Amino acid sequence: MKKITLLILAGLPAFVFAQNAKYTVQGKIGENNAPAKVYLQYRQKGKTVTDSVTLTGGKFEFNGKAETNPVSAYIVFNSKGNGSGNSDDYRSIYLEPGVINITTADVLANAKIGGTKTNDDNERYNLAQKPVNDAYEALAEKRKAATPEQQSSPEFAKQLSIEEKAIDDKSAATDKQFIKDNPDSYISLNALEGYAYSADYVDIAPLFDALSPAVKQTEAGKKFAERMPKLKAVALGATAPEFAEADTSGKVISLSSFRGKYVLVDFWASWCGPCRRENPNVVKAYNHYKGQKFTILGVSLDRPNAKDKWLAAIHKDGLAWNHVSDLKFWDSKAANLYAVRGIPQNFLIDPNGKIIGKNLRGDDLENKLAEIFGKI
């Protein structure tokens, strides 16, 4: 949850050839006609760009100038033609030089996509991750269908947590294998982003180092390279980076103020469903070991002007420990310092300030604390 070395021909890596090139996105969605439309949506220079075309006999086509690197985009189908935001039938594609083909007899979810390297690679990656995504969907349905008794049952929650962790592990293993098998693929960068969520620097670095020069020279590759020192700074065994933020009353609290204790730095947010589902496990661990030299420092990624939601979530979930936040959402300084790109995420720090655990969820957190303090 996510080895062939490119030969350098004519002195230029493959992705550079995209300069001044054109893309074509063409396809067919059943036999649809007006008012049905297909929308092409992507980000450019910080703004969302949306183009549309009316279907004729199910056919559509978009043309444009390709950027230097593959650009993530969405194809959206709306049978009423009343806007891309009014439909949930969409697929992600990558805009790059060449002809990108999209064909389906019914909905985009069932479309066959290909024609260019990145899109072909993305289809292979999606196919590899399909069992994982299916498992996540099945788990979501199981959680949704739970009876009130099951929803209030610690045993049921624990079982769901165990099942989710097994899926997470399968997703990470799938990401790792794809990266190893496709070092010259732009999609491997996406897979590496997913894999880096739960992996340590010692596992991430070799995978990134093995990527081809062409992939590393893309904008996404350069940005990931910039993150590597931060990932190294929060690797197991490293001294946890210092930070200080305001708590719920406005008092500034520093991480170093907890020296002498084991402290779990827990990144979360009131709007984060997985975080809220994990909170009972964190509460249980806190209540079990708070009498020892153990505490928790919650770091919220709540949105600006949402302090009330942050405080309400703390109260509702019974999070009786110190909490801080700069209320900057994904621009959180502490999250950026710790290279956090997904939540929930946590770091267990020993009394000397060393990181001794990461992403300890469910039984993993309880087991790690039992290892430290013994069975209590």
Side-chain angles (χ1 to χ4, degrees), residues 33-89:
N33 290 291
K37 287 185 178 181
V38 169
Y39 300 83
L40 175 64
Q41 197 167 66
Y42 56 94
R43 299 282 290 178
Q44 186 177 63
K45 296 180 180 179
K47 297 182 179 180
T48 299
V49 177
T50 303
D51 195 3
S52 66
V53 62
T54 301
L55 291 171
T56 302
K59 295 181 179 179
F60 66 90
E61 181 173 309
F62 296 96
N63 294 283
K65 179 182 177 181
E67 298 295 329
T68 304
N69 307 137
V71 174
S72 178
Y74 287 98
I75 286 288
V76 184
F77 170 66
N78 186 333
S79 61
K80 296 180 180 179
N82 61 349
S84 61
N86 297 312
S87 173
D88 59 3
D89 185 20

Side-chain angles (χ1 to χ4, degrees), residues 207-268:
L207 293 174
F208 180 74
D209 290 343
L211 294 177
S212 71
V215 172
K216 290 179 182 177
Q217 288 167 12
T218 63
E219 287 303 310
K222 292 176 182 177
K223 288 181 179 179
F224 199 93
E226 291 173 359
R227 285 183 60 206
M228 290 297 285
K230 292 181 180 179
L231 290 168
K232 186 175 183 179
V234 293
L236 291 173
T239 298
E242 169 72 324
F243 66 89
E245 288 189 0
D247 68 6
T248 56
S249 64
K251 178 184 176 182
V252 175
I253 296 179
S254 66
L255 176 61
S256 58
S257 66
F258 296 95
R259 284 291 175 90
K261 292 184 176 182
Y262 288 89
V263 56
L264 184 75
V265 179
D266 186 34
F267 290 91
W268 73 295

